[in-house]
């Protein structure tokens, strides 16, 4: 059987902020460990999950421990994971208090006949499987963003959201600390993709972005490739970016050309912003973004991690 050259790409979000030393170190160690696992024969799905768990755990990104709060002061997180051999996928949306939503997404994929669980039912599902929770003390000790209205009702949060929307701040504010994700190709030639997020900065309670929507925030198909997204979820959803990119890969377009083409559509057609990891089953890959910065990295040809805060 022909063996593929293992590839792993990880992102810590596309946005306005430059990469920090701590973020670069976190992505680099996740890449090194994930690549070691792939070389040893680990499946792409588990390597993607493990890489995302490290970033969720770190508190350095808008995912897991570092997740944003919605306008009522509650953290509601989204995550998804997909493998490309049988097109199996799992996702959670608006899950609360769980450090590793990506693992909850994998459990949805492996333990149920469904693809997506939401809200309190998703949280209870994760609790049933004993997934680790954010300790209560840590949740309340943190400084709160000044726009946040703890326990605010619909009328107050909607007024605040609309006021921010009208001043045009939503897009700018929505590009701070960002979503995390990964794509991988394993020795057997299977690709996988995943992503995890605390959403955007100024969101109504119950808002869900692209991350848990298969075909928007992630997609993986051994016959086309794997994609993991970051950026403004509303614009990514409207273009169904991940599936559109893999559809272009399936026509023979290169990862760079497919990514550039669809990112241009996000900017020109829906005035959004996004960043993307694209991996084709033959091992070609690219990292592209329309935002000023994107925290991401890959294992280079010499087997060493390359992590940067900007890509061409
Ligand atoms: N891309 C993450 C979100 O918009 O929720």
């Amino acid at each position: 059987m022909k063996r593929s050259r293992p590839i792993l790409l990880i992102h810590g979000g596309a946005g306005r902020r430059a990469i920090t030393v701590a973020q670069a170190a976190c992505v680099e160690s996740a890449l090194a460990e994930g690549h070691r696992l792939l070389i040893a024969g680990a499946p792409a799905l588990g390597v993607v999950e493990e890489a995302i768990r490290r970033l969720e755990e770190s508190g350095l990104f808008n995912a897991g421990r570092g997740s944003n709060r919605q306008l009522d002061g509650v953290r509601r997180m989204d995550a998804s994971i997909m493998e490309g051999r049988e097109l199996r996928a799992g996702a959670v949306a608006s899950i609360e208090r769980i450090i590793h939503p990506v693992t909850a997404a994998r459990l949805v994929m492996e333990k149920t006949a469904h693809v997506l669980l939401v809200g309190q039912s998703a949280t209870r599902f994760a609790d049933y499987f004993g997934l680790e929770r954010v300790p209560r003390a840590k949740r309340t000790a943190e400084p709160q963003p000044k726009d946040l209205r703890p326990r605010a009702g619909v009328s107050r949060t909607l007024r605040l959201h609309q006021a921010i929307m009208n001043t045009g701040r939503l897009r700018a504010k929505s590009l701070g600390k960002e979503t995390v994700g990964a794509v991988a190709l394993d020795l057997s030639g299977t690709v996988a993709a995943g992503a995890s997020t605390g959403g955007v900065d100024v969101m109504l309670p119950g808002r869900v972005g692209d991350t848990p929507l298969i075909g928007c925030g992630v997609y993986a198909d051994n016959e086309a490739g794997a994609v993991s997204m970051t950026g403004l979820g509303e614009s990514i959803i409207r273009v169904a970016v991940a599936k559109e990119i893999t559809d272009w890969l399936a026509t023979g377009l290169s990862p760079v050309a497919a990514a550039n083409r669809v990112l241009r559509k996000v900017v020109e057609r829906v005035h959004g912003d996004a960043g993307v990891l694209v991996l084709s089953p033959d091992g070609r890959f690219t990292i592209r973004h329309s935002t000023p910065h994107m925290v991401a990295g890959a294992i280079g040809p010499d087997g060493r991690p390359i992590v940067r805060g900007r890509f061409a």
Side-chain angles (χ1 to χ4, degrees):
M1 191 178 75
K2 184 172 163 291
R3 280 156 71 95
S4 299
R5 181 172 71 100
I7 307 278
L8 175 63
L9 312 179
I10 297 176
H11 74 74
R16 287 183 301 125
R17 291 185 207 168
I19 190 170
T20 66
V21 173
Q23 286 176 330
C26 181
V27 173
E28 187 172 319
S29 78
L31 278 169
E33 175 60 12
H35 196 244
R36 192 187 63 71
L37 290 170
L38 284 171
I39 296 283
L45 186 77
V47 171
V48 162
E49 180 194 0
E50 192 49 42
I52 292 173
R53 282 177 63 94
R54 279 183 171 236
L55 273 59
E56 288 174 334
E57 180 73 46
S58 73
L60 299 168
F61 305 92
N62 177 17
R65 287 188 193 276
S67 293
N68 287 341
R69 292 169 193 273
Q70 299 194 321
L71 284 171
D72 60 354
V74 177
R75 286 195 173 110
R76 297 183 183 87
M77 297 164 284
D78 305 330
S80 64
I81 196 159
M82 181 167 189
E83 64 83 36
R85 191 161 60 91
E86 296 175 1
L87 306 183
R88 291 183 306 149
V92 289
S94 275
I95 196 168
E96 295 178 27
R97 301 188 298 276
I98 301 298
I99 296 175
H100 298 300
V102 70
T103 296
R106 183 169 178 179
L107 285 165
V108 171
M109 179 180 118
E110 291 185 337
K111 304 288 185 194
T112 80
H114 308 309
V115 169
L116 174 60
L117 291 183
V118 304
Q120 289 182 357
S121 301
T123 307
R124 281 199 294 270
F125 175 82
D127 282 343
Y128 175 81
F129 285 98
L131 297 198
E132 201 182 345
R133 283 178 162 225
V134 179
R136 203 163 278 279
K138 283 203 174 146
R139 282 189 287 136
T140 49
E142 287 174 5
Q144 305 274 309
K146 84 174 164 14
D147 286 334
L148 219 63
R149 297 292 184 272
R151 290 178 293 283
V154 173
S155 153
R156 192 162 183 183
T157 54
L158 187 58
R159 261 186 288 124
L160 178 63
H161 177 73
Q162 287 172 339
I164 293 165
M165 232 167 59
N166 291 340
T167 61
R169 279 171 61 214
L170 183 60
R171 184 162 179 262
K173 277 191 67 78
S174 298
L175 294 169
K177 208 165 67 161
E178 261 287 0
T179 303
V180 306
V183 295
L185 169 66
D186 64 26
L187 286 173
S188 77
T190 286
V191 293
S196 178
T197 191
V200 289
D201 279 2
V202 183
M203 24 171 195
L204 286 172
R207 178 266 187 192
V208 171
D210 59 296
T211 304
L213 304 181
I214 304 302
C216 296
V218 304
Y219 204 72
D221 179 350
N222 282 5
E223 294 175 12
V227 171
S228 176
M229 298 300 305
T230 163
L232 192 56
E234 282 72 7
S235 63
I236 296 167
I237 292 169
R238 288 160 69 196
V239 176
V241 170
K243 185 64 165 68
E244 173 134 356
I245 290 178
T246 52
D247 283 350
W248 280 115
L249 292 178
T251 70
L253 218 59
S254 71
V256 176
N260 285 345
R261 186 173 193 131
V262 182
L263 283 182
R264 207 175 318 120
K265 183 168 173 183
V266 169
V267 174
E268 290 174 1
R269 295 284 304 281
V270 299
H271 310 296
D273 261 320
V276 61
L277 307 177
V278 183
L279 173 60
S280 78
D282 62 9
R284 288 175 300 158
F285 64 84
T286 192
I287 301 170
R288 283 284 183 281
H289 51 103
S290 63
T291 48
H293 301 277
M294 177 161 171
V295 177
I299 298 288
D302 60 358
R304 301 232 306 252
I306 301 164
V307 179
R308 299 211 309 256
R310 266 172 194 240
F311 296 82

